[in-house]
Amino acid sequence: MTWLGIPADHPFGVATLPYGVFGTPGDPHPRAGVAVGEWIIDLPAAARRLAPELAGAVAGPSLDALLAAGPRVWAEVRARLTTWLTEEVYRDLLAHALVPARDAIMHLPFTVADYVDFYASEQHATNLGRMFRPGQDPLTPNWKHLPIGYHGRAGTVVVSGTEVVRPSGQRRGPDGEITFGPSRRLDIEAELGFVVGAGSTLGRPVDMSRFPEHVFGVCLVNDWSARDIQAWEYVPLGPFLGKSFATSISPWIVPLTALDHARVVPPARTVPLLPYLDDAGAPPWGLDLRLEVRLNGHVVSRPEFAGMYWTGAQMLAHMTANGASLRTGDLYASGTVSGASPDQRGSLIELCWGGEEPVKLPDGSVRTFLEDGDEVVITATAPGPDGAVIGLGAVGGRIGAAR
Ligand SMILES: O=C(O)/C=C/C(=O)CC(=O)CC(=O)O
Ligand SMILES: [Ca+2]
Ligand SMILES: [Mg+2]
């Protein structure tokens, strides 16, 4: 219980304590904050007064120093925050560092080093395979042997709320004609992002068991995708301009430790895995996260992360299996979270089946792909201790007309 008087089921209760970077109209300089209820704890201000030895780790205009500080410092900061919020003696001492969340302007929380996107949902991969590669096996032969991924564009990762300008590019029309112009099949992908804190040494693979030592936390990701540009350009080297124009992330990074109660055993593996990916009997890293995707305020999908075939720990091990090193600020996303039922699909191309089955919204409007002015918001929650709800906040973005 906290003296702040937050309802037990608040998604940003004391069991969550996510980290972000904020400014206020009165004090716009970006600084680290922790969301709790309807408040943000100004982390540098709190540390200066209550924990000067931690001030260096939470200083600066981003979370970069905290990410780099490593798991011992992450645990220490979180323990202090919990003490400050639950022990009455800190009420007056912390008061100066509390800022109303409604006043905050949120910034990109960390410097994105590399950005990798995986493809970990069997249902999504199957659905896309059917649409993009009709007549072939929807799952490629490698799919159950390794978590497929590609390197995306770190420099165009943007914070929730940033306008997404409709991309232009080459596309092939139904008659085979090649034209250049604004995408006509602009889509979303609802994903979970893993934020790397502590880096690793070049040449040394990172074992699955080291996942919590390197991954600081998670955020929500919308991997905006121009399906017409993608379909024409991606053979044989994979996604390029169809996805690099913008990738939105939620402003609050939920620490991995806040998801302890959400850990579940991932789906049964139907193909034997090589030792570096074999997680049978290992501490499970499936995550019971419930996502919601809203288009112009209407829920269009409720994907469940627990059904993802590959876990964040396996993705980390695979990403470094060749000796590639991790850097502070690396972001890797799960791939689109899609479930087995049609109302659990994490992209519009699946929800409208390539345009054949338009989605009807309760306000009478109909969508296949995104129109200018459309707004997409993805939220998620997970179970916490003692019935608490762990919120991941939201990632939202509105489509602006092509420039
Ligand atoms: O199957 C394909 O050719 C394409 C798949 C995607 O566009 C999905 C992608 O970015 C990975 C993912 O989000 O699962
Ligand atoms: Ca994706
Ligand atoms: Mg993208």
Side-chain angles (χ1 to χ4, degrees), residues 29-42:
H29 77 276
R31 55 207 189 270
V34 171
V36 57
E38 305 305 315
W39 299 90
I40 294 173
I41 302 173
D42 181 324

Side-chain angles (χ1 to χ4, degrees), residues 47-397:
R48 268 196 302 275
R49 185 118 160 218
L50 297 169
E53 71 281 16
L54 293 173
V58 299
S62 73
L63 300 179
D64 295 0
L66 180 61
L67 294 184
R72 207 185 43 76
V73 173
W74 306 339
E76 179 65 25
V77 173
R78 187 167 164 86
R80 294 296 189 93
L81 287 163
T82 306
T83 304
W84 297 340
L85 287 165
T86 51
E87 292 184 15
E88 187 71 33
V89 289
Y90 289 99
R91 181 192 275 258
D92 292 339
L93 293 166
L94 201 62
H96 75 288
L98 289 177
V99 175
R102 63 171 181 276
D103 293 346
I105 300 139
M106 300 307 298
H107 298 274
L108 193 66
F110 59 97
T111 308
V112 182
D114 284 301
Y115 167 51
V116 166
D117 189 25
F118 283 96
Y119 189 41
S121 156
E122 182 172 356
Q123 286 75 23
H124 175 73
T126 303
N127 289 338
L128 275 267
R130 286 203 181 115
M131 284 184 269
F132 275 125
R133 295 172 287 281
Q136 297 176 32
D137 271 345
L139 280 192
T140 50
N142 54 358
W143 201 91
K144 291 207 166 168
H145 292 273
L146 52 83
I148 297 177
Y150 66 94
H151 281 91
R153 196 165 185 90
T156 55
V157 175
V158 296
V159 72
S160 176
T162 306
E163 179 190 50
V164 174
V165 176
R166 180 178 298 274
S168 291
Q170 281 198 27
R171 62 264 135 117
R172 182 170 52 182
D175 52 357
E177 195 197 3
I178 311 304
T179 55
F180 185 96
S183 172
R184 300 182 187 111
R185 287 162 76 91
L186 185 54
D187 199 355
I188 60 154
E189 291 189 328
E191 308 196 17
L192 185 72
F194 296 91
V195 180
V196 172
S200 69
T201 308
L202 187 64
R204 285 216 195 147
V206 177
D207 191 82
M208 275 187 302
S209 64
R210 303 229 177 259
F211 175 63
E213 292 167 38
H214 290 277
V215 170
F216 172 80
V218 301
C219 59
L220 292 168
V221 175
N222 187 345
D223 178 26
W224 306 94
S225 298
R227 301 300 182 188
D228 40 3
I229 298 172
Q230 176 185 0
W232 170 233
E233 74 174 1
Y234 86 107
V235 179
L237 290 188
F240 189 43
L241 302 177
K243 285 171 182 282
S244 65
F245 55 94
T247 304
S248 301
I249 65 169
S250 54
W252 294 107
I253 313 299
V254 174
L256 208 56
T257 44
L259 297 176
D260 272 350
H261 284 77
R263 292 174 64 178
V264 292
V265 177
R269 279 67 174 81
T270 50
V271 165
L273 293 173
L274 291 174
Y276 79 99
L277 291 173
D278 189 355
D279 59 354
W285 277 110
L287 291 171
D288 178 14
L289 308 177
R290 315 272 162 108
L291 280 66
E292 284 192 339
V293 182
R294 283 185 177 72
L295 173 53
N296 298 333
H298 310 290
V299 176
V300 292
S301 178
R302 293 193 165 87
E304 293 183 2
F305 194 82
M308 298 294 273
Y309 194 85
W310 298 103
T311 68
Q314 289 171 316
M315 296 176 209
L316 187 77
H318 187 62
M319 205 163 68
T320 60
N322 63 351
S325 47
L326 301 169
R327 284 195 296 175
T328 297
D330 282 352
L331 170 69
Y332 65 98
S334 61
T336 311
V337 185
S338 288
S341 83
D343 61 349
Q344 295 178 329
R345 294 171 177 164
S347 67
L348 288 172
I349 192 171
E350 293 169 272
L351 288 165
C352 74
W353 206 256
E356 289 170 19
E357 298 165 16
V359 178
K360 295 187 186 70
L361 300 176
D363 63 4
S365 59
V366 172
R367 283 292 181 286
T368 52
F369 295 95
L370 295 170
E371 298 185 1
D372 291 349
D374 280 353
E375 187 190 36
V376 177
V377 178
I378 304 165
T379 56
T381 57
D386 307 318
V389 177
I390 306 293
L392 273 74
V395 58

